[in-house]
């Protein structure tokens, strides 16, 4: 039996996912493949590398710093997340990512990227995180506050634009069991962007503009589908049991701890149900 795991993004809400995955590690929950988007990818890689607590640790330590993310980085580099510090210095020198453990895990890990020229989602298998760091940057390059990322000759932005919750891709991959970790409560629905905003910023990329302007409808249809599949017992879903207000660029470490704790608590409360689902 093969198990697939789908990880929604959500910038710093992704620490909810980090809390969930740390409980997975505590309980020996194993999966065969992971497909994530944005923060789901950036924090999710710590699961196959078996680095419990790493995502919370470095985010609490560096989120308050302008070297990591924020307006200063946006003004000086064009990216609200500082490329050099967040993607290169931090994982390789400061809070080191265990690349060897990641590669030895045997887990197939895919990052969702949005091709800005086609407006479509593409799914890149991450076999070496350090060697494919630009793909990791691309999946999390939030529109409007990030420069377009070039990877292997193509131009990309945040995977959440084209496929916020890649459940369909996971189904297509043929896993027998699917776990979905969301970062929004059950009743959340996305609102529409002002159409002229995307057109003014990305006028060179009409397919991207179309995707951005329809993102709310795509997202809402996806969460409806997930809820239906969950009700029918086809998939297992873990989502926030309550609303914790966390900004995309959140500096308040108490809020970061709170969203992480909620993920850990929600998962711990349902871990036996998850085990039964996987064994059924």
């Amino acid at each position: 039996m093969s198990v697939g795991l789908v990880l929604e993004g959500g910038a710093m809400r992704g620490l909810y996912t980090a809390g969930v995955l740390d409980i997975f590690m505590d309980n020996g929950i194993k999966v065969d493949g992971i497909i994530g988007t944005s923060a789901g990818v950036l924090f999710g890689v710590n699961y196959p590398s078996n680095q419990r607590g790493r995502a919370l640790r470095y985010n609490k330590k560096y989120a308050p710093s302008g070297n990591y993310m924020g307006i200063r980085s946006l003004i000086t580099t064009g990216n609200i997340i500082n490329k050099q510090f967040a993607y290169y210095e931090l994982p390789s020198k400061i809070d080191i990512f265990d690349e060897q453990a990641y590669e030895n895990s045997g887990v197939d890990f895919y990052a969702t990227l949005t091709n800005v020229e086609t407006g479509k989602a593409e799914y890149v298998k991450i076999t070496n995180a350090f060697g494919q760091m630009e793909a990791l940057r691309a999946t999390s390059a939030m529109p409007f506050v990030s420069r377009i990322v070039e990877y292997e000759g193509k131009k990309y932005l945040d995977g959440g634009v084209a496929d916020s919750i890649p459940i369909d891709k996971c189904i297509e991959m043929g896993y027998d069991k699917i776990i979905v970790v969301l970062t929004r409560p059950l009743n959340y629905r996305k609102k529409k962007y002002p159409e002229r905003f995307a057109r003014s910023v990305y006028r060179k990329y009409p397919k991207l503009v179309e995707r951005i302007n329809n993102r709310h409808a795509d997202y809402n249809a996806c969460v409806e589908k997930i809820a239906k599949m969950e009700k029918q017992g086809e998939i297992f879903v873990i989502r926030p049991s309550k609303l914790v207000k966390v900004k995309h660029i959140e500096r308040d470490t108490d809020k970061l701890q709170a969203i992480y704790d909620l993920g850990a608590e929600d998962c711990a409360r349902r871990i036996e149900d998850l085990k039964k689902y996987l064994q059924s």
Side-chain angles (χ1 to χ4, degrees):
M1 180 188 70
S2 61
V3 181
L5 173 63
V6 178
L7 303 176
E8 183 180 8
M12 283 304 181
R13 290 197 320 276
L15 283 176
Y16 178 87
T17 300
V20 170
L21 297 181
D22 282 355
I23 299 302
F24 279 17
M25 287 184 240
D26 291 346
N27 286 269
I29 301 297
K30 303 292 185 182
V31 301
D32 299 285
I34 301 172
I35 181 164
T37 298
S38 195
V41 173
L42 297 187
F43 301 159
V45 292
N46 297 294
Y47 175 39
S49 71
N50 200 36
Q51 291 179 276
R52 191 191 194 286
R54 179 175 177 268
L56 177 66
R57 180 175 64 242
Y58 75 71
N59 277 290
K60 285 187 68 177
K61 186 172 183 179
Y62 296 106
S65 168
N67 291 331
Y68 183 22
M69 60 184 181
I71 297 300
R72 186 170 75 186
S73 176
L74 181 61
I75 293 171
T76 58
T77 72
N79 295 299
I80 202 159
I81 305 295
N82 188 289
K83 170 185 172 179
Q84 189 60 35
F85 180 81
Y87 294 93
Y88 289 94
E89 292 180 19
L90 197 156
S92 64
K93 299 177 182 178
I94 300 171
D95 197 323
I96 298 174
F97 176 70
D98 192 339
E99 178 68 45
Q100 194 61 57
Y102 174 84
E103 292 181 16
N104 292 342
S105 70
V107 175
D108 294 329
F109 197 111
Y110 294 85
T112 308
L113 285 61
T114 298
N115 185 312
V116 302
E117 294 179 320
T118 67
K120 295 181 180 180
E122 296 182 14
Y123 308 92
V124 176
K125 187 175 182 179
I126 306 298
T127 57
N128 182 289
F130 288 128
Q132 295 175 278
M133 193 58 73
E134 289 302 285
L136 298 183
R137 272 214 317 128
T139 188
S140 55
M142 293 182 284
F144 309 117
V145 291
S146 305
R147 293 184 183 275
I148 290 171
V149 178
E150 291 196 19
Y151 177 71
E152 295 190 342
K154 297 180 182 180
K155 297 178 180 181
Y156 296 103
L157 280 175
D158 193 313
V161 175
D163 195 357
S164 295
I165 312 169
I167 180 68
D168 287 338
K169 186 63 177 179
C170 192
I171 293 170
E172 179 187 311
M173 290 175 172
Y175 293 104
D176 300 305
K177 298 283 184 175
I178 296 177
I179 308 166
V180 180
V181 180
L182 304 179
T183 58
R184 296 284 197 180
L186 179 62
N187 61 353
Y188 174 81
R189 296 295 182 272
K190 194 175 288 293
K191 296 180 180 179
K192 189 175 184 178
Y193 285 114
E195 290 193 11
R196 63 183 180 276
F197 189 38
R199 282 198 298 268
S200 65
V201 176
Y202 297 115
R203 57 185 178 276
K204 293 182 180 179
Y205 306 103
K207 295 294 185 181
L208 177 66
V209 171
E210 181 181 357
R211 180 64 73 173
I212 290 173
N213 288 337
N214 286 299
R215 185 184 180 189
H216 67 294
D218 294 339
Y219 181 90
N220 295 342
C222 185
V223 295
E224 293 283 356
K225 177 177 181 175
I226 287 170
K228 182 177 180 180
M229 292 181 70
E230 178 188 21
K231 188 175 182 180
Q232 294 172 343
E234 298 173 4
I235 59 177
F236 191 94
V237 182
I238 300 175
R239 60 169 66 81
S241 57
K242 63 181 180 181
L243 176 65
V244 175
K245 292 185 178 180
V246 176
K247 298 175 184 176
H248 278 72
I249 304 301
E250 183 61 71
R251 297 183 181 278
D252 188 331
T253 57
D254 289 339
K255 291 183 179 180
L256 299 181
Q257 184 71 55
I259 193 68
Y260 170 89
D261 287 345
L262 181 63
E265 291 162 6
D266 285 348
C267 185
R269 186 167 53 249
R270 301 196 61 207
I271 198 68
E272 294 305 318
D273 291 335
L274 174 58
K275 291 176 182 178
K276 290 177 183 178
Y277 167 77
L278 295 177
Q279 293 167 359
S280 64

